Amino acid sequence: MKVIFVKNAERISRKSRSGILVHFGENKYKEINIRDIEALFILGSKVLIESCAISLLSSFNIPVAIISKLGVSLLSTHMLTYYNDVRRAQYAMNDEERQKIMLEILLAKFRGFSNIIKYYGKDEPDIHYTEDLEKGNISLLLWEALNSKAYWEKVLGILPGDILDTLKARYGFEGRKPRAKDPFNKSISLLYALLYAMSLRALVASGLDPTEGLHHKTRYSTPLVFDYVEMYKPIAVHAVLKTFKSKSEKININKDGNLTKDSIEILAKEFFLIMRARIRNTRMTPYRAVYINTYRLARRIRGDEKVRYTFTYNPKKLILHDF
């Protein structure tokens, strides 16, 4: 199974019930077997996708992500999963239950960022405003934003000064901004998109409705995906940090304002190196955790308060194998 990136293509069509064709011009195309695709990423907004190709991808629950200057768009296949008791429990949750589950996911994210910061010998920030959150003085959204700002300041401090200076001089870099045009932010957004696609497929398989979120609002097409991915974001951030610390000169933006093909390949390799690494003293990998924890989350939503559904990233516990 592969994550397929499509760039500089004109059209995507269906060849048969078992494959798609990616067209690059007259009589130039690439055939891809549908069973080899885990997720399809289309870079840019000018590729035409035939409806028969979309239907085929949907029938196999293969998520399609379109990465353009406007951000990341996900084509969801949730309508292929039947309603069941998991979804009934999901729809019946009140705001207090949703916030309780989401808080644990966000705490796992911040613990993951803390582990990265400590891994590089830096002092981790404290989590603030928890008492205000418990008393209802601030919302969970504001609590997350305030703590995220503190953590991102520490994370960016891991980058060497000369790299930060170059990003500021060339691109006006000001930190983490999802729609910024610098290669660092573009790299973060690319790897987040990989996590979104994986999580969408995993959530659908577990019976959960990705359009019914815990924390993110319905202006996102699949808010539960954005909620669930929060605790895996440190993986993407660490992959980008590792890449920029060792190969920053190879991560570049092309004339269209997108990451170059070589840049994408370098980032994807670093990302999957982490995702496929075994966690010490377990049989688990971060990749497996993405899928397994959706079933655990479904159990939690159904009322099992003892199940552990969160994931905390810790680079010190990984056994890395190059591929």
Side-chain angles (χ1 to χ4, degrees):
M1 299 288 283
K2 300 177 182 177
V3 174
I4 305 296
F5 290 91
V6 174
K7 185 179 180 182
N8 298 326
E10 292 183 355
R11 179 168 57 95
I12 297 175
S13 65
R14 190 185 82 170
K15 179 180 184 295
S16 64
R17 293 176 62 88
S18 62
I20 61 172
L21 295 176
V22 180
H23 302 265
F24 296 96
E26 188 175 354
N27 298 323
K28 290 182 64 178
Y29 61 86
K30 180 178 181 180
E31 181 179 348
I32 306 174
N33 190 298
I34 200 73
R35 297 190 181 278
D36 291 335
I37 305 174
E38 179 170 344
L40 181 67
F41 285 79
I42 300 171
L43 307 179
S45 56
K46 297 181 180 180
V47 181
L48 298 177
I49 312 174
E50 295 184 1
S51 58
C52 56
I54 294 175
S55 178
L56 178 64
L57 291 163
S58 294
S59 67
F60 283 85
N61 271 342
I62 296 173
V64 178
I66 301 172
I67 305 172
S68 67
K69 294 179 181 179
L70 297 177
V72 179
S73 300
L74 291 176
L75 303 186
S76 170
T77 60
H78 64 276
M79 70 290 294
L80 297 173
T81 303
Y82 294 104
Y83 289 95
N84 52 30
D85 56 343
V86 174
R87 291 195 175 191
R88 283 194 291 271
Q90 183 182 2
Y91 301 147
M93 280 192 300
N94 59 39
D95 290 342
E96 183 180 351
E97 291 172 323
R98 292 172 190 268
Q99 177 165 306
K100 186 176 181 180
I101 293 172
M102 192 64 213
L103 178 59
E104 291 301 318
I105 290 174
L106 292 173
L107 286 171
K109 175 179 74 169
F110 290 133
R111 287 194 297 268
F113 278 132
S114 289
N115 287 335
I116 294 173
I117 294 165
K118 290 185 291 185
Y119 181 77
Y120 287 102
K122 306 290 185 179
D123 293 328
E124 61 181 310
D126 294 324
I127 294 179
H128 295 290
Y129 311 106
T130 302
E131 185 176 344
D132 290 322
L133 177 65
E134 292 172 349
K135 292 181 178 179
N137 295 331
I138 61 174
S139 67
L140 183 61
L141 188 66
L142 179 57
W143 176 87
E144 180 196 4
L146 292 170
N147 283 294
S148 290
K149 182 179 179 181
Y151 273 87
W152 268 109
E153 288 177 357
K154 291 288 187 177
V155 167
L156 292 174
I158 295 170
L159 287 174
D162 59 331
I163 294 176
L164 283 172
D165 291 341
T166 299
L167 288 171
K168 291 175 182 177
R170 291 184 182 177
Y171 304 98
F173 180 73
E174 297 179 345
R176 174 58 183 156
K177 293 187 176 181
R179 294 189 179 182
K181 298 180 180 180
D182 62 89
F184 184 85
N185 274 296
K186 289 278 188 181
S187 298
I188 294 287
S189 296
L190 171 73
L191 298 190
Y192 279 4
L194 287 173
L195 287 171
Y196 295 147
M198 291 178 189
S199 298
L200 173 59
R201 191 176 194 187
L203 288 164
V204 169
S206 72
L208 290 164
D209 182 354
T211 68
E212 182 76 6
L214 300 167
H215 179 53
H216 287 88
K217 302 302 180 182
T218 52
R219 67 187 180 91
Y220 298 95
S221 59
T222 52
L224 186 61
V225 174
F226 293 87
D227 293 336
Y228 181 71
V229 161
E230 290 291 340
M231 57 187 168
Y232 298 100
K233 283 184 175 180
I235 297 173
V237 172
H238 191 204
V240 173
L241 287 172
K242 289 179 68 177
T243 302
F244 270 76
K245 283 174 69 68
S246 61
K247 305 170 184 175
S248 62
E249 74 284 353
K250 295 183 179 181
I251 307 301
N252 299 298
I253 302 294
N254 61 24
K255 62 181 180 180
D256 296 323
N258 298 314
L259 290 167
T260 64
K261 181 180 178 181
D262 289 344
S263 300
I264 292 170
E265 290 178 353
I266 292 170
L267 289 161
K269 181 176 181 179
E270 192 65 60
F271 174 76
F272 283 108
L273 181 65
I274 294 174
M275 290 296 288
R276 293 170 179 165
R278 186 167 60 84
I279 299 171
R280 198 175 304 278
N281 299 323
T282 74
R283 299 176 64 183
M284 186 70 71
T285 65
Y287 183 89
R288 288 190 66 199
V290 169
Y291 285 85
I292 289 173
N293 282 337
T294 59
Y295 290 92
R296 293 174 176 172
L297 176 60
R299 285 173 55 191
R300 174 63 184 86
I301 287 173
R302 291 178 64 188
D304 184 353
E305 296 190 1
K306 294 182 179 180
V307 66
R308 182 180 177 183
Y309 58 91
T310 58
F311 172 86
T312 298
Y313 177 64
N314 189 344
K316 288 186 177 180
K317 292 186 177 181
L318 295 184
I319 302 174
L320 298 174
H321 299 284
D322 205 348
F323 62 95

